[in-house]
Amino acid sequence: MLSTFPNIPVYLRMLTLTVVLLLHRDAVQAQLVNLAKGKAVSGYPVIADNPFQHLVDGNDATVWNTSPAAPVNHFEVNLGKPYAIDRVLLRGFRGKDKVRIQVLTGGSWKEVFNNPQPDKALIAFEPVTADQIRVEYSAKQATGFPEFEVYAYDPQPVFVNQIGYNLKAPKRFTAPLAVDGTAFSVLDSEGKKPFSGTIKGHIGDFTAFQPTNAGPYTIVVDGEKKGSSFPFDIAPYVIEQASYGPALAFMIDDRCWYGNSDGYSPTDKSADCPSLGVAWRDSHQFSFELPALIALYSANPEAFSTERMPVEGIYTGVREKLPENTPEIVRLIYWAVDVYLRGQVNHTLLKEQLAYFVYAYPDLSPYIPQKVYVEARDYLFKIWGNDNKDRWHWYDLDHSANLFQTYTLIGTGKGQFPPGHSIVPNLMLYEVAKREGRKDADAYFNAAFQQTDWLIKNLDWQDPTSTKGQRMNEYVTMDALAYFLKKYPQKAPKGLSEKIQEWAKVAISRSDNLWDYRKYADNKWVIADIKATSDPTYNPTGSFNEPGNIAGFPAPALAAASVLTDAKTRNRLHELATAQLDNVYGRNPTGRHFCYDALTDFKGADLGWFKELEGGAALLQTVRGVLDGSPKEGVYPYDPYSGDPGHTEGWVTFNTAWIAGLAYLAADVTNVEFYDATFTNRIQEAKTGQKVGVRLTAPLNLDPQKAEQAAVVLTDGKGKQSRFTLDEQGANGVAFQEVIDLASGPVSVGKNEVLRVSYGLGAFKKEAVLKIK
């Protein structure tokens, strides 16, 4: 039975799960496992350089080709033992070719499918117990098959986040065929049941289960139709441990010129990044790389120190050499800034990206030279109000690049012009202008105010083109609205808080389903295509590939939750933020992680996406951490027989949305507090000479086998700052803490002064204040 859990990344699971699986032989999730992979295969015609093994080797780069010289090509796969198989994925089929499928059952061959014009790569039939399967294929021309996959019927599938669940976060799973009241149990590696519950609305909730042991665990559903989940861990920061590495690796690997921009010339367009990119391949002007990277670094800066994440990428061709201790994420930020400045970017959204950099520069100044900031600052202030946008623009909408205007234009499902995109950049330049003593600072604030006021009065959240219809860049809108309200609560336009509350209400109403999945509209699950309108009945045959929309949803959900006061709304938004990431990592109707290479790229993953795009504009096949695909309309609410992977293609714009979501997930759980010296009680006041405790809670436990450290910033009564190092509480701890002796340092603070401790940067900064009596 262990063969149904291929390539489990933690080898000990192979031993510790033995007892569980032997106890639940009738509850194995075979419907999720490709039974043909690695099995014996034969066929006709036999051609030396065209082995049938290419069909079952699990490698898309190897392809078996039919021979037009033979009227009928066929191949047979021996599964090794009988399974109740009910579908195959015949990737590479041609729509007008004839396909016949037979299975060996009871000692004889039985036909289960015979269709001259199959319309899907996924071919389903009634479950039949068989140990061999034969495919006959008739084609007028050679046809290549990268892979042949076979799946078996399971009475009760159980879908979980394959990566695992954060200890303090919501923990939910979906059993799509279970009736209300069906019992479920969490099983540990010894077969014990430390937690049990009942299913309601096809959902099981085990949020209250907060074990001290990380696992692995499985979910077992009882009732008439039993089922079992993939194994998963429960620990303080499982999601961050599995996500930060591939998130950063993607941004390293996908860069233009593969990290060597030596040949780039701002005057020779033939030297531009190929395939619709500027600093990243196939990025377009609306990929928001700098905002995403700066947000993630600002939310959790210590996670990206060179001690935790050694530098991997090359950075040849950039004009400035950065210090050796510069974090990789800061190097990536500078990579973009250097390319943008040399290229004299003038598109609306690319100018906005540079605004994030000049605003964040004080936090980046230990690594990036000041002359880079001066160049970017002077360039932006000079062209901010210019109309032209003739350098790098694709899928563009007709508009002026003058960022002082109020935009009434809303982008399409391509994601190229999300409402409110100019709000945060204008507010950031407002602060930069004040910092630089410019007299025109108010012009930037007024532009942001007017744009926000227009959105409050004109955006209709019931119209899905204003929400999920913005595809992967929906988060830009809510991030902007929440940012304004949080930073300038007394100066914000009237009705801003109510507008955010209304968005939350719509998002919650469209998530009342068995997946906790935020739908496109009340009667539609997935955005259709860029022609989709506000009419929810619009239903073309296909649906978009939208992994970024789902992976990025924690950003708008948690941005809204951070400024709302209603506890019920906030709690549900937290639940939905987690659920969308669960969806990315396997809790979806296909049961697959969105990354094709999930088993190698994501710690804890059990089953990757159906396929990846061969070639493509961004050439992502060798790139780590690609979000390749997401479930399409036909598979929802639960129809595995319509689970054709449809259009599959990774994109940097999907990954930046995901990175923004990770930033908000980090900020949401980060907190810094003062305690007494025994860490028994939180305190807000202390006496001179007293010992006090400082505690930081943040996703910094990235190595569960190692007791790590983290630094916070102390600011004394005179404004002097110093770094203060805290120790992790246990090798797999939630918090970091240390005691300060106010009598001997590390800061000098006197009577009637205040001591501040902070973690995070910019808008994500968390701070506690201690009054000294």
Side-chain angles (χ1 to χ4, degrees):
M1 305 307 289
L2 289 175
S3 63
T4 61
F5 292 89
N7 300 324
I8 294 176
V10 181
Y11 75 91
L12 288 177
R13 292 182 181 178
M14 301 299 290
L15 174 63
T16 56
L17 281 177
T18 301
V19 175
V20 177
L21 296 178
L22 290 176
L23 290 172
H24 297 278
R25 290 178 181 273
D26 60 343
V28 177
Q29 64 284 27
Q31 86 287 350
L32 299 179
V33 177
N34 174 16
L35 302 172
K37 184 178 179 181
K39 300 299 173 59
V41 60
S42 60
Y44 175 85
V46 177
I47 302 173
D49 60 352
N50 187 36
F52 294 100
Q53 284 72 22
H54 288 173
L55 288 161
V56 294
D57 62 3
N59 183 4
D60 273 4
T62 59
V63 178
W64 176 74
N65 295 287
T66 63
S67 171
V72 178
N73 290 248
H74 78 266
F75 58 86
E76 298 174 10
V77 177
N78 190 328
L79 301 176
K81 63 180 180 180
Y83 292 93
I85 58 178
D86 68 344
R87 78 201 93 148
V88 301
L89 189 63
L90 191 60
R91 296 204 277 114
F93 80 95
R94 297 175 61 86
K96 294 184 178 181
D97 293 340
K98 183 177 180 179
V99 177
R100 182 184 184 215
I101 300 177
Q102 297 174 294
V103 298
L104 187 63
T105 179
S108 61
W109 288 98
K110 176 183 178 181
E111 182 177 276
V112 294
F113 184 83
N114 191 342
N115 189 343
Q117 289 185 304
D119 59 353
K120 292 181 179 179
L122 186 73
I123 299 172
F125 39 83
E126 289 295 320
V128 56
T129 301
D131 59 1
Q132 295 185 51
I133 186 167
R134 173 191 292 165
V135 176
E136 295 179 357
Y137 199 90
S138 301
K140 294 181 179 179
Q141 64 187 70
T143 306
F145 292 90
E147 206 69 16
F148 175 65
E149 303 179 14
V150 179
Y151 296 92
Y153 171 78
D154 188 343
Q156 175 56 71
V158 180
F159 298 96
V160 297
N161 182 327
Q162 298 172 15
I163 300 297
Y165 295 84
N166 282 1
L167 187 67
K168 302 289 187 179
K171 306 177 193 69
R172 288 157 75 90
F173 69 89
T174 297
L177 304 180
V179 299
D180 281 5
T182 300
F184 74 86
S185 299
V186 179
L187 267 68
D188 63 18
S189 58
E190 297 178 351
K192 297 178 181 178
K193 299 180 179 180
F195 186 88
S196 297
T198 57
I199 290 172
K200 181 179 180 181
H202 307 290
I203 292 174
D205 192 316
F206 56 110
T207 302
F209 181 49
Q210 297 187 21
T212 55
N213 180 13
Y217 299 95
T218 55
I219 298 291
V220 174
V221 173
D222 297 327
E224 181 179 349
K225 295 182 177 181
K226 294 185 178 181
S228 178
S229 74
F230 274 128
F232 56 86
D233 288 345
I234 302 175
Y237 304 111
V238 170
I239 296 302
E240 287 76 14
Q241 290 171 11
S243 301
Y244 281 3
L248 214 60
F250 178 93
M251 301 304 289
I252 296 168
D253 295 353
D254 186 47
R255 285 174 298 152
C256 291
W257 314 286
Y258 302 94
N260 181 356
S261 60
D262 266 338
Y264 171 70
S265 168
T267 59
D268 180 6
K269 287 197 174 185
S270 66
D272 284 358
C273 179
S275 303
L276 312 184
V278 184
W280 280 266
R281 302 192 297 276
D282 196 29
S283 62
H284 305 78
Q285 73 277 4
F286 49 92
S287 295
F288 299 104
E289 293 94 345
L290 279 179
L293 289 169
I294 290 171
L296 186 57
Y297 181 62
S298 298
N300 201 10
E302 287 287 293
F304 302 98
S305 66
T306 53
E307 291 79 13
R308 280 187 170 87
M309 289 192 176
V311 175
E312 297 181 5
I314 62 170
Y315 297 87
T316 306
V318 292
R319 290 174 291 171
E320 302 297 331
K321 184 177 180 180
L322 306 185
E324 289 298 319
N325 68 333
T326 303
E328 183 106 56
I329 195 168
V330 177
R331 294 174 187 271
L332 289 168
I333 290 167
Y334 175 61
W335 164 268
V337 170
D338 186 64
V339 173
Y340 292 172
L341 289 176
R342 282 191 290 164
Q344 297 287 289
V345 294
N346 65 355
H347 189 277
T348 321
L349 304 181
L350 292 173
K351 290 193 293 186
E352 291 174 2
Q353 285 204 38
L354 284 173
Y356 281 81
F357 168 70
V358 296
Y359 174 77
Y361 180 73
D363 297 320
L364 303 172
S365 61
Y367 309 108
I368 300 176
Q370 186 180 22
K371 64 180 180 180
V372 178
Y373 164 72
V374 171
E375 181 183 356
R377 178 201 66 195
D378 293 348
Y379 177 67
L380 272 190
F381 280 127
K382 179 180 178 181
I383 70 166
W384 197 251
N386 289 1
D387 294 333
N388 296 336
K389 54 177 181 61
D390 53 357
R391 190 76 171 103
W392 289 298
H393 53 94
W394 305 276
Y395 302 103
D396 209 3
L397 300 177
D398 185 23
H399 71 280
S400 162
N402 178 357
L403 279 159
F404 290 113
Q405 69 178 289
T406 298
Y407 288 103
T408 61
L409 184 66
I410 296 177
T412 70
K414 193 67 180 178
Q416 80 277 57
F417 214 69
H421 58 82
S422 65
I423 294 173
V424 173
N426 266 306
L427 290 175
M428 287 180 166
L429 279 197
Y430 166 64
E431 294 296 338
V432 175
K434 290 195 299 180
R435 188 169 76 204
E436 296 290 341
R438 294 176 60 98
K439 296 180 179 180
D440 60 349
D442 287 343
Y444 301 94
F445 182 87
N446 292 337
F449 183 97
Q450 295 300 328
Q451 184 66 72
T452 305
D453 188 57
W454 185 89
L455 295 187
I456 294 170
K457 295 174 180 175
N458 292 278
L459 274 191
D460 178 8
W461 299 133
Q462 293 293 335
D463 180 349
T465 62
S466 297
T467 55
K468 190 167 184 170
Q470 291 299 306
R471 209 177 174 194
M472 61 276 162
N473 286 329
E474 175 194 5
Y475 74 93
V476 173
T477 305
M478 187 49 58
D479 174 59
L481 297 181
Y483 183 95
F484 202 132
L485 185 59
K486 187 182 297 184
K487 294 282 287 185
Y488 308 96
Q490 304 304 319
K491 300 172 67 176
K494 183 180 179 181
L496 179 53
S497 178
E498 291 79 4
K499 191 70 174 181
I500 295 173
Q501 179 67 49
E502 290 168 9
W503 176 89
K505 181 178 179 181
V506 173
I508 290 171
S509 70
R510 290 180 179 163
S511 305
D512 185 15
N513 54 70
L514 70 167
W515 306 101
D516 294 314
Y517 175 77
R518 195 279 306 264
K519 299 165 63 176
Y520 174 75
D522 292 341
N523 63 346
K524 190 168 184 60
W525 294 80
V526 177
I527 178 176
D529 57 28
I530 59 174
K531 296 180 181 178
T533 68
S534 60
D535 181 5
T537 64
Y538 178 73
N539 188 27
T541 56
S543 57
F544 249 162
N545 190 29
E546 59 163 14
N549 188 307
I550 304 165
F553 187 78
L558 297 177
S562 70
V563 294
L564 295 178
T565 57
D566 179 69
K568 185 177 180 180
T569 299
R570 287 166 51 87
N571 290 340
R572 182 56 174 159
L573 288 175
H574 280 87
E575 204 167 65
L576 296 181
T578 300
Q580 307 316 295
L581 210 56
D582 290 346
N583 191 286
V584 174
Y585 296 157
R587 186 192 163 198
N588 64 67
T590 71
R592 290 173 175 267
H593 191 294
F594 286 7
C595 176
Y596 175 78
D597 291 322
L599 272 68
T600 57
D601 292 359
F602 288 82
K603 176 186 175 183
D606 296 285
L607 189 66
W609 192 244
F610 294 96
K611 63 179 182 178
E612 64 182 347
L613 179 69
E614 295 185 34
L619 301 173
L620 295 180
Q621 284 180 290
T622 61
V623 173
R624 297 164 292 172
V626 181
L627 301 182
D628 291 283
S630 57
K632 308 305 186 287
E633 183 74 20
V635 81
Y636 283 105
Y638 180 62
D639 183 4
Y641 302 106
S642 296
D644 190 331
H647 180 70
T648 293
E649 182 179 5
W651 193 7
V652 63
T653 316
F654 294 153
N655 278 65
T656 52
W658 174 46
I659 289 171
L662 292 175
Y664 269 96
L665 283 168
D668 183 62
V669 298
T670 295
N671 198 18
V672 61
E673 299 164 308
F674 283 108
Y675 275 79
D676 59 29
T678 63
F679 290 95
T680 304
N681 300 303
R682 286 193 294 269
I683 60 174
Q684 295 178 320
E685 294 182 345
K687 296 180 180 179
T688 56
Q690 183 177 332
K691 290 183 178 180
V692 300
V694 174
R695 174 177 290 172
L696 168 67
T697 303
L700 290 170
N701 170 19
L702 300 184
D703 185 347
Q705 307 303 320
K706 178 182 177 182
E708 300 173 83
Q709 293 184 319
V712 293
V713 175
L714 296 176
T715 305
D716 66 18
K718 299 178 176 60
K720 182 181 178 181
Q721 294 186 336
S722 59
R723 284 171 58 86
F724 185 59
T725 301
L726 313 177
D727 291 327
E728 182 180 353
Q729 298 308 291
N732 198 16
V734 175
F736 298 74
Q737 62 189 41
E738 191 59 72
V739 173
I740 299 176
D741 187 344
L742 297 180
S744 58
V747 291
S748 175
V749 57
K751 189 175 182 180
N752 297 323
E753 293 185 338
V754 296
L755 175 63
R756 300 176 186 270
V757 60
S758 64
Y759 182 74
L761 310 169
F764 292 101
K765 181 179 178 181
K766 299 293 181 71
E767 185 179 71
V769 178
L770 186 69
K771 296 179 181 179
I772 308 301
K773 296 186 294 183

